[in-house]
Amino acid sequence: VTLHLNPISSVHIHQKPLVFLLNSPLPLVWKLKTERLAPGIRRVFFVSLGSVVQFEKGNFSSSAETEEKLFPEKNEHLLQWAQKEYGAVTSFTELKISRNIYIKVGE
């Protein structure tokens, strides 16, 4: 699955830390494609067991962290866990089948 990350239109370059929980019932390869995300900013990708994140060449992989995690099985429990762990959830998306996911990051 390719994850496309771009800032919202009012933000020229996104310069804040990000945390992503990438959950799947089956192990996946998450391919990351980004535009206009500042290098050197902490970005964390938690993936379900057996999954991996692949970064584009020249991407911000040097400042990104990837960690496998055993997530709660149901989405409601995953959302509750994320809110408890991070205090807020700004976006939650559930897809049954997808090859590309487009996410706008920003304020």
Side-chain angles (χ1 to χ4, degrees), residues 83-101:
Q83 288 171 326
K84 181 180 174 188
E85 192 76 15
Y86 296 100
V89 173
T90 57
S91 177
F92 186 92
T93 303
E94 176 185 8
L95 302 167
K96 297 292 183 192
I97 298 175
S98 182
R99 293 200 185 275
N100 291 282
I101 300 171

Side-chain angles (χ1 to χ4, degrees), residues 27 45-52 65-71:
F45 297 87
F46 291 107
V47 296
S48 46
L49 299 179
S51 293
V52 296
E65 301 168 35
T66 302
E67 182 181 326
E68 284 186 60
K69 199 149 197 82
L70 179 60
F71 290 119

Side-chain angles (χ1 to χ4, degrees), residues 25-97:
L26 299 173
L28 286 179
V29 174
W30 295 92
K31 295 180 182 180
L32 203 61
K33 292 193 178 266
T34 65
E35 290 182 31
R36 302 185 350 255
L37 299 186
I41 306 293
R42 185 171 185 244
R43 296 181 178 99
V44 182
F45 297 87
F46 291 107
V47 296
S48 46
L49 299 179
S51 293
V52 296
V53 178
Q54 289 182 347
F55 299 94
E56 295 176 290
K57 282 188 176 180
N59 201 324
F60 54 77
S61 58
S62 62
S63 60
E65 301 168 35
T66 302
E67 182 181 326
E68 284 186 60
K69 199 149 197 82
L70 179 60
F71 290 119
E73 283 189 36
K74 297 190 179 210
N75 283 335
E76 309 86 57
H77 298 143
L78 177 60
L79 185 57
Q80 290 169 355
W81 175 84
Q83 288 171 326
K84 181 180 174 188
E85 192 76 15
Y86 296 100
V89 173
T90 57
S91 177
F92 186 92
T93 303
E94 176 185 8
L95 302 167
K96 297 292 183 192
I97 298 175

